[in-house]
């Protein structure tokens, strides 16, 4: 039985802790804040409750597997999973609207043809077929296996089978998501639909590789799910599974360093000067934080994937509304920016900022647990914003929050008349919850593009030190965090020969 110190109580760290405890190890988690879940938090006021992190769950099989492998009670006995249908409603710049059925290719094709015109559904359906091929080619190396030592193969090879495109007497294939939209979808609304899947993770579709086609495919193939009571309930369930498996939790315990002995991690040093000895250390923290723990020692060896830095963040506005939620309301509505290029230039150009009328995701869950009574509704608005190192005063964001509310009126016309109060959650709040500089949020790992969208291996240059969570392989997002926990547990239990789930 090994002693294992886990730094942080984010979702990836919790997943690793539960699996390692079941394997017979003594696991202790050290979390600098007073609660678990990382960015998966909840805000409550006046009988209203809101998720302040992710609000929907793709690929729930990751957490089903976690619960099967760590105890008798399956996930569905610990939380109530609800499949969201339609999976999303989209309000495009020209005012066109479409509601897309959940996990139904035929239904999506029919809905697009009806709303956007004949042929649009077929083009999107054909795109999903090609996206499936990219998924089949990358699923194991990017989700289920430790990062390959020859990771350059993933960096150089574009798995998306783009359609040949003739331009100026030359035949080219799409190399970016934006080119897929322009050359294969050929409709600005379909392009906006495609781009929104990248933008949701803070990725610029103009330079994001075509392999990002796996993001809409994953949602299409496996559906989008909601956890009754909010996604915070998933974090609670994973935490309680850890406690049931005798994982020790130390909240308010800030780690300041990783102790090394003979070139291996040998424990963690806490802010009060105490040292917790360990045979392995699992760090679920952002790269800059881990650098500080090692005090100048190299985290990664030469030739390894470097950590990603400078990711985008998220602005969230929580709305308490009077009046009940209409029965026909979609759980998720994406209101697309009226000037898409201007939005991308504002977010990702020099002097990154925020567009006046950004793409806004509106979440309106049908969940009585989130409201004081049936005469009220809890609504969450989110938009991608640049990370804000050293900034983030709440008053600076009120103008942007008003812009989000104005955009959301395209989805909820009577919004301002129903508004009781609103609460703003900024990149500074994310930084406080996760420790990531500027409130940056990591994106999922993607193939191609020279490896720019890969994340570092879960193993490090220091023996016995492993990394877990969104800043290491396989990157950000709830499913990816859960998979990182499975990979780290496998590497510790089975050793370097571990090759992933079968």
């Amino acid at each position: 039985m090994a002693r294992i110190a886990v730094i942080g109580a984010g979702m990836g760290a919790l997943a690793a802790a539960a699996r390692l405890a079941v394997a017979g190890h003594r696991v202790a988690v050290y979390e600098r804040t007073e609660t678990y879940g990382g960015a998966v938090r909840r805000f409550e006021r006046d009988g209203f409750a809101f998720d302040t992190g992710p609000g929907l769950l793709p690929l729930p099989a990751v957490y089903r597997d976690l619960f099967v492998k760590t105890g008798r009670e399956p996930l569905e006995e610990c939380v109530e999973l609800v499949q969201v249908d339609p999976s999303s409603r989209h309000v495009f710049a020209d005012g066109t609207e479409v509601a897309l059925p959940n996990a139904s290719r035929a239904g999506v094709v029919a809905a697009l043809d009806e709303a956007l015109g004949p042929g649009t559904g077929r083009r999107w359906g054909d795109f999903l077929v090609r996206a499936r091929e990219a998924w089949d080619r990358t699923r194991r190396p990017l989700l289920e296996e430790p990062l390959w030592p020859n990771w350059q193969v993933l960096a150089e090879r574009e798995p998306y089978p783009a359609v040949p495109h003739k331009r100026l007497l030359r035949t080219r294939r799409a190399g970016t998501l934006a080119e897929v939209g322009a050359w294969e979808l050929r409709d600005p609304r379909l392009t906006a639909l495609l781009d929104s899947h990248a933008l949701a993770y803070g990725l610029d579709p103009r330079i994001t590789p075509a392999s990002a086609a796996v993001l809409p495919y994953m949602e299409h193939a496996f559906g989008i799910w909601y956890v009754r009571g909010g996604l915070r309930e998933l974090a609670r369930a994973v935490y309680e599974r850890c406690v049931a498996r005798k994982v020790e939790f130390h909240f308010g315990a800030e780690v300041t360093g990783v102790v090394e002995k003979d070139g291996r991690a040998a424990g963690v040093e806490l802010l009060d000067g105490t040292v917790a000895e360990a045979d392995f250390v699992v760090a679920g923290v952002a790269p800059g934080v881990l650098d500080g723990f090692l005090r100048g020692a190299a985290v990664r060896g030469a030739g390894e994937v470097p950590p990603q830095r400078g990711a985008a963040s998220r602005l969230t506005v929580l709305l308490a509304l009077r009046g009940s939620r209409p029965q026909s309301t979609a759980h998720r509505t994406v209101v697309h920016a009226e000037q898409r290029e201007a939005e991308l230039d504002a977010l990702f150009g020099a002097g990154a900022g925020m567009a006046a009328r950004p793409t806004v995701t509106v979440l309106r869950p049908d969940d009585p647990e989130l409201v004081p009574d049936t005469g009220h509704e809890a609504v969450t608005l989110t938009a991608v914003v640049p990370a804000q190192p050293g900034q983030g005063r709440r008053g600076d964001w009120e103008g942007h929050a008003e812009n989000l509310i104005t955009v959301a009126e395209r989805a909820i016309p009577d919004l301002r008349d129903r508004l009781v109060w609103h609460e703003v959650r900024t990149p500074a709040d994310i930084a406080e919850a996760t420790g990531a500089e500027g409130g940056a949020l990591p994106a999922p790992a993607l193939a191609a593009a020279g490896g720019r969208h890969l994340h570092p291996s879960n193993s490090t240059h220091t023996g016995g030190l492993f990394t877990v969570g969104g800043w290491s392989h396989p990157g950000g997002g709830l499913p990816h965090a859960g998979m990182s926990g499975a990979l780290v547990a496998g590497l510790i239990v089975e050793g370097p020969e571990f090759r992933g789930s079968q």
Side-chain angles (χ1 to χ4, degrees):
M1 179 179 70
R3 298 166 300 173
I4 300 175
V6 178
I7 307 172
M11 296 299 285
L14 293 178
R19 290 176 181 271
L20 288 166
V22 167
H25 299 296
R26 180 180 175 184
V27 183
V29 176
Y30 300 89
E31 166 58 46
R32 65 181 181 84
T33 72
E34 297 299 331
T35 190
Y36 52 84
V40 185
R41 298 291 180 94
R42 189 200 314 265
F43 175 81
E44 298 181 357
R45 173 181 165 186
D46 300 339
F48 292 88
F50 306 84
D51 284 320
T52 58
L56 293 169
L57 176 65
L59 204 58
V62 172
Y63 289 91
R64 289 190 177 112
D65 180 73
L66 171 64
F67 276 73
V68 166
K69 299 290 177 58
T70 59
R72 296 179 179 177
E73 306 85 3
L75 176 63
E76 281 81 352
E77 288 188 13
C78 301
V79 298
E80 183 181 352
L81 279 178
V82 180
Q83 192 167 18
V84 175
D85 199 14
S87 67
S88 58
R89 169 186 170 223
H90 292 263
V91 180
F92 296 107
D94 65 355
T96 308
E97 298 185 15
V98 63
L100 301 180
N102 202 341
S104 169
R105 181 176 180 274
V108 167
V109 168
L112 289 172
D113 275 343
E114 181 178 353
L116 308 187
T120 54
R122 178 188 56 78
R123 290 198 296 276
W124 183 261
D126 291 346
F127 157 74
L128 288 176
V129 172
R130 294 188 290 275
R132 176 179 179 175
E133 189 168 337
W135 168 261
D136 289 340
R137 291 173 176 175
T138 61
R139 174 179 57 86
R140 285 196 61 81
L142 287 185
L143 276 182
E144 298 176 0
E145 298 177 345
L147 187 66
W148 292 349
N150 60 334
W151 58 267
Q152 292 86 354
V153 174
L154 295 171
E156 297 166 358
R157 181 182 302 166
E158 172 54 72
Y160 178 77
V163 175
H165 171 74
K166 287 187 177 181
R167 187 179 185 186
L168 299 178
L169 303 180
R170 297 179 59 189
T171 299
R172 298 182 57 190
R173 292 179 182 270
T176 67
L177 208 61
E179 289 174 339
V180 171
W183 299 351
E184 300 178 13
L185 300 179
R186 304 190 308 278
D187 184 295
R189 297 161 298 184
L190 290 183
T191 298
L193 173 60
L194 176 61
D195 288 354
S196 67
H197 289 274
L199 188 60
Y201 288 103
L203 299 172
D204 183 349
R206 298 172 299 186
I207 61 173
T208 299
S211 64
V214 299
L215 300 177
Y217 174 77
M218 184 171 68
E219 181 173 312
H220 158 76
F222 306 107
I224 284 291
W225 301 75
Y226 174 69
V227 178
R228 185 72 64 191
L231 266 290
R232 178 64 178 177
E233 287 298 294
L234 177 65
R236 174 198 57 76
V238 178
Y239 166 72
E240 290 181 354
R241 177 56 54 92
C242 288
V243 171
R245 299 302 169 260
K246 310 301 182 185
V247 175
E248 299 175 11
F249 282 88
H250 304 271
F251 294 108
E254 183 172 353
V255 172
T256 57
V258 173
V259 178
E260 290 187 67
K261 183 177 181 181
D262 300 327
R264 283 185 56 86
V268 295
E269 183 177 344
L270 303 177
L271 184 62
D272 62 7
T274 61
V275 171
E277 295 182 350
D279 302 298
F280 296 93
V281 174
V282 176
V285 297
V289 178
L290 184 58
D291 289 342
F293 290 165
L294 293 181
R295 296 162 186 163
V299 179
R300 307 290 173 184
E304 295 186 33
V305 175
Q308 292 189 17
R309 302 178 190 272
S313 187
R314 180 176 57 234
L315 178 65
T316 301
V317 183
L318 313 174
L319 306 177
L321 304 185
R322 64 175 61 87
S324 60
R325 176 185 184 273
Q327 288 187 349
S328 60
T329 299
H331 187 120
R332 174 178 59 171
T333 298
V334 180
V335 183
H336 294 268
E338 296 178 354
Q339 298 181 340
R340 188 169 59 90
E341 284 296 322
E343 177 185 32
L344 298 179
D345 287 341
L347 283 173
F348 304 110
M354 186 176 178
R357 297 291 184 268
T359 296
V360 175
T361 298
V362 182
L363 296 183
R364 305 177 70 181
D366 181 13
D367 190 345
E369 297 183 30
L370 304 184
V371 291
D373 53 55
T374 57
H376 292 84
E377 183 181 3
V379 176
T380 301
L381 314 180
T382 59
V384 173
V385 299
Q388 300 287 316
Q391 300 180 32
R393 290 180 302 171
R394 195 167 306 279
D396 297 340
W397 291 98
E398 282 296 334
H400 293 305
E402 285 295 322
N403 288 340
L404 264 64
I405 294 173
T406 298
V407 172
E409 288 183 283
R410 294 173 59 198
I412 313 175
D414 58 351
L415 172 56
R416 290 192 184 273
D417 292 337
R418 297 176 56 197
L419 185 60
V420 180
W421 51 258
H422 76 270
E423 182 78 19
V424 181
R425 284 293 175 265
T426 75
D429 295 300
I430 297 173
E432 173 60 28
T434 67
E437 184 179 13
L441 293 168
L446 298 171
R452 293 195 311 271
H453 297 280
L454 295 177
H455 289 267
S457 169
N458 306 103
S459 304
T460 71
H461 193 55
T462 300
L465 175 63
F466 297 85
T467 59
V468 72
W471 294 104
S472 58
H473 180 70
L478 278 174
H480 299 73
M483 287 305 303
S484 75
L487 294 174
V488 167
L491 288 167
I492 291 176
V493 173
E494 298 186 25
E497 66 276 8
F498 174 67
R499 291 297 176 265
S501 59
Q502 301 300 320

